Every structure is written in C-alpha cells, then in structure tokens.
Amino acid sequence: LNTNLYLYDGSWIGESCLESLIDFQQNFQAQDTDIILVTTPKSGTTWLKALVFTITQRFQYKISDENHPLVTTNPHGLVPFFESYRSIAAGMPRLFATHISYTMLPESIKTSKCKIIYLCRNPRDTFVSMWYFGHQIMSKLDPSSQFPSPEECLEQFCEGVIHYGPFWEQILQYWKLSNEMPEKVLFLKYEELKGDIIAQCKKMADFMNCSFSSEEENDGVIKDIAKFCSFEHLSNLEVNNQTEERSVPRLDNGMFFRKGEIGDWKNLITTSMAEKLDQFVEQKLQGSGLKLN
Ligand code: A3P
C-alpha cells in the first residue's frame, strides 16, 4: 500500500503523482460552476463520478440513450483526476476528481464559488478494498512478488502511510468544512448512498443547484439514475470489463468494480483486527461528532 510515497504538504503522495499535483496546485483555475469530487481512495470514487456525471448532464444525455457516455466510457474517463485535468473535455458543469486534502487544493477552488462533494467510507471496508486493489496491481506489475499480509498493511493504514494518507486527517478536515460551509462542501458516506440512494441523489442535486423537479420525481428519473449507476449495471457493461488499459495507466476498468458491498471486511480481516481499527479511528475522531461505522 505504501511504495514510493513522499510526504508532501502533510500527506503521503505517490512519486508518479507529485509533478502533476504541483502543476494542478499552481495552474488550475477553478470556475464558479465547477464541481470537485474529493474522496478517500477506495471509498466509492467510481460510483460518485458516475452519479454526479449522470445527474448534472441529464438534460444533455438521456440515460435511455444507448450511446450515453457512461455506457461507452468508464467513469474515470469522464471525470478526470487532477493528474489529467488539462485534458478535460468541455462540458457544463466541469467535473474534476481528486483524493487530496483541502489544505492542498489550488487556491482558486477555495476562493471561487465552485462546489466540493466529499465521499468517505467506513475504514474497515475501505482498508479491505484497498488491500485487494493493491494486491491486484502488484500481481500485474510483478507476478512473482509477495504482497504484504493484511496484518502488515493494516499497520501501515493506521500509521497513515498510504496514498493520500493519513486518511482520518483528511476526513476530519472535510467533515469540519461541511459543517462550517455547507454551501461549499457536501459530506457523503458510502454507507448512506447504499442506504438510501434516492435521498442522496436528491441531496447531491440540490447541493449542485440542479434539483430534480417534481415532474422528474414523478417520472421516476431519480430511480432510473440510481439504477443506471448501480454496481450491478456498471460492472456488467462491456466497457467496464475490458482488460486493456483505458482509464488510468496500469489500471484496467474492471479493477474499480469488485463487490460493492458493505461488510466485506469479514472475509479478509479478523474481528479483533477490525475492533482494533475501530478503536484507533474512534480515538482520532473523538470530539468531532463524526462516526464512520
Ligand atoms: P469493494 O472493493 O469493496 O468492492 P473507488 O471507486 O474509490 O476506487 O472504490 C472502489 C470500491 O467501490 C470497490 O469496493 C468497488 O467495488 C465499489 N464500487 C464501484 N462502483 C460501485 C457502484 N456503482 N456502487 C457501489 N459500489 C461501487
């Protein structure tokens, strides 16, 4: 989980991202209408990208259209990470994604009226999803290598020495901002999306100033969008099953869809490891009013 990381501005950043991160920080000019999606890695970034794209572009692209961009392109190809922000296709509003802390965001994101949607997930499932992802990447890059055990990786996770870590600092930062500036930062949890996707889609649309009309609600538009962006639908699309490198270098589209469930941690880590992680997280979040389980 933690190869070639550099401590930069208080976060651990992969060597291959450093240059583009600095470029993004120094040169990105936010517009008031931009939407910035910020997530902890493996918390449902792919899902959030799909949802926000579909909601904001719903007048341009009908989901009934067989050529809807999400049917032909992996969500990561539609909403670029900061690493490739220069190649963004013109669209309204412009959508960008990143995993960096608020402190590290370019100044223009903070000073303009653009909006930030933040998504996190319970640390047990985030960790397990990350472990499988790392394992998969490693077995592609170097099939003969031994990927560290879940025990070893959990230690690194709690030390915060993982891509964009420490995760709790970032989560707390956006949590506080969402309370102080609710019109600027919307704070979401993967489990809440799973729990009531319709309510969460409405919340996102209201936040982005593109609320669903009562006519749309009556026509079942929100339900259709939720179904269209569901794990079941997206993971079965041909484009998301291609093994060639299409989205991010070295990553296949299919790698972003594994199980999409709550509670899969049970299949990788023991209850005592999970409880230790819970205690650790509870301590870090103490006094914030935020719960992640
Ligand atoms: P699991 O590994 O637990 O299955 P990210 O997109 O931030 O990399 O996160 C990946 C996680 O989100 C994976 O979790 C993946 O299966 C899950 N995921 C991807 N698309 C999803 C969707 N449409 N709905 C729910 N979960 C999804």
Side-chain angles (χ1 to χ4, degrees), residues 198-216:
I198 305 285
Q200 301 295 316
C201 281
K202 277 198 220 173
K203 200 197 256 186
M204 279 190 256
D206 291 345
F207 175 74
M208 295 186 289
N209 296 327
C210 60
S211 300
F212 292 101
S213 65
S214 40
E215 213 169 54
E216 283 183 298

Side-chain angles (χ1 to χ4, degrees), residues 207-231:
F207 175 74
M208 295 186 289
N209 296 327
C210 60
S211 300
F212 292 101
S213 65
S214 40
E215 213 169 54
E216 283 183 298
E217 284 201 43
N218 292 337
D219 287 349
V221 170
I222 315 178
K223 219 163 130 194
D224 290 345
I225 289 178
K227 207 164 154 202
F228 188 68
C229 296
S230 68
F231 182 87

